[in-house]
């Protein structure tokens, strides 16, 4: 934390982090739909009113989880992808990072996020999506992907496939090699978009 923050500001940041981590812990253990704001507040040792000071709703906690995923991508993707020049390699590496995010969260958390009631997957304009759209547009400019293809549509379809791979990993209790599966399936999918 920056030293210029007052002790009150530092305490506020620490309280928000505690609420967030307690919420994540409860989601992992019981599932998002099975916990309440009251449960999270009790676990974090704050009042319900204090919870609402930092998060407008229980859904806002979910938004924060996805925001952390976007921040992870913003930090990791550019430095990893700069080592690749081949279009297919770039796109496969991008989704291997996506799979690593699920691995880092753990299969229990993934099981509670990759569910039909989680509409965060339908949110457009997230930096994770925008980054992939830009990568695809760059590859189009290089002539690697046909100009007739819509980069936003490709992004949506690739994410549908990647979510399916992670969902399958969850179904199998994390006992499959998620990275190998992601690499294999995304490679096949990407080949259908690349200019021969």
């Amino acid at each position: 934390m920056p030293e210029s923050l007052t002790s009150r500001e530092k305490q506020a940041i620490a309280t928000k982090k505690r609420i967030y981590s307690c919420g994540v812990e409860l989601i992992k253990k019981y599932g998002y739909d099975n916990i309440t704001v009251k449960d999270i507040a009790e676990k974090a040792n704050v009042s319900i009113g204090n919870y609402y000071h930092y998060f407008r709703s229980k859904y806002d906690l979910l938004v924060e989880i996805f925001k952390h995923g976007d921040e992870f991508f913003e930090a990791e993707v550019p430095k990893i992808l700069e080592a690749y020049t081949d279009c297919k390699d770039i796109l496969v590496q991008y989704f291997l990072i996506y799979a690593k995010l699920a691995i880092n969260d753990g299969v229990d958390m993934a099981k509670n996020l990759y569910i039909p009631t989680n509409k965060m997957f339908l949110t457009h304009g997230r930096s994770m999506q925008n980054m992939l759209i830009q990568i695809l547009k760059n590859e189009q400019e290089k002539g690697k992907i046909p100009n007739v293809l819509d980069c936003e549509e490709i992004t949506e379809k690739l994410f549908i496939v990647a979510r399916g791979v992670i969902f399958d990993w969850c179904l199998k209790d994390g006992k499959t090699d998620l990275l190998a599966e992601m690499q294999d399936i995304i490679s096949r999918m990407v080949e259908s978009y690349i200019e021969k």
Side-chain angles (χ1 to χ4, degrees):
M1 278 186 243
E3 287 184 31
S4 60
L5 294 176
T6 66
S7 60
R8 182 179 220 143
E9 290 168 328
K10 288 177 185 174
Q11 184 181 3
I13 291 168
T15 301
K16 184 174 182 178
K17 281 184 180 175
R18 189 170 72 248
I19 293 168
Y20 174 81
S21 62
C22 288
V24 167
E25 191 180 322
L26 289 171
I27 290 169
K28 279 184 184 178
K29 192 168 183 181
Y30 301 109
Y32 175 79
D33 291 332
N34 299 319
I35 61 168
T36 64
V37 167
K38 183 176 184 252
D39 297 330
I40 299 166
E42 284 177 2
K43 177 85 176 161
N45 202 24
V46 298
S47 68
I48 292 173
N50 208 357
Y51 174 92
Y52 283 116
H53 176 74
Y54 296 101
F55 299 96
R56 290 174 300 181
S57 64
K58 184 174 86 164
Y59 186 74
D60 260 16
L61 185 66
L62 200 58
V63 171
E64 189 76 11
I65 291 168
F66 277 76
K67 183 177 155 201
H68 282 238
D70 284 333
E71 288 168 355
F72 174 82
F73 252 65
E74 288 166 8
E76 297 300 316
V77 168
K79 60 186 176 191
I80 291 171
L81 294 189
E82 68 186 18
Y84 298 90
T85 54
D86 179 73
C87 179
K88 181 179 169 184
D89 290 343
I90 290 168
L91 295 171
V92 168
Q93 287 304 314
Y94 180 93
F95 282 100
L96 287 177
I97 297 165
Y98 186 69
K100 284 175 188 169
L101 183 60
I103 291 167
N104 291 346
D105 286 342
V107 73
D108 290 334
M109 185 62 163
K111 283 179 179 182
N112 287 297
L113 292 177
Y114 287 80
I115 55 174
T117 55
N118 183 356
K119 301 304 180 195
M120 277 302 297
F121 289 119
L122 300 177
T123 305
H124 290 281
R126 289 180 49 217
S127 61
M128 197 181 286
Q129 298 159 331
N130 291 341
M131 190 181 293
L132 183 57
I133 291 167
Q134 192 54 56
I135 290 168
L136 290 164
K137 285 181 178 176
N138 292 344
E139 293 304 310
Q140 262 184 344
E141 285 172 16
K142 294 178 199 169
K144 303 293 183 183
I145 296 172
N147 283 327
V148 293
L149 297 177
D150 181 276
C151 292
E152 278 139 23
E153 188 178 316
I154 296 171
T155 295
E156 188 171 336
K157 291 193 183 325
L158 286 172
F159 268 110
I160 289 168
V161 170
R163 285 194 302 268
V165 174
I166 294 172
F167 180 76
D168 185 66
W169 177 70
C170 291
L171 282 176
K172 294 171 180 167
D173 297 319
K175 290 186 171 56
T176 56
D177 185 340
L178 178 56
L179 295 178
E181 284 292 299
M182 188 68 79
Q183 181 161 1
D184 178 47
I185 292 169
I186 291 294
S187 292
R188 293 167 192 258
M189 183 85 179
V190 165
E191 283 171 6
S192 69
Y193 292 121
I194 295 175
E195 193 77 84
K196 303 285 187 245

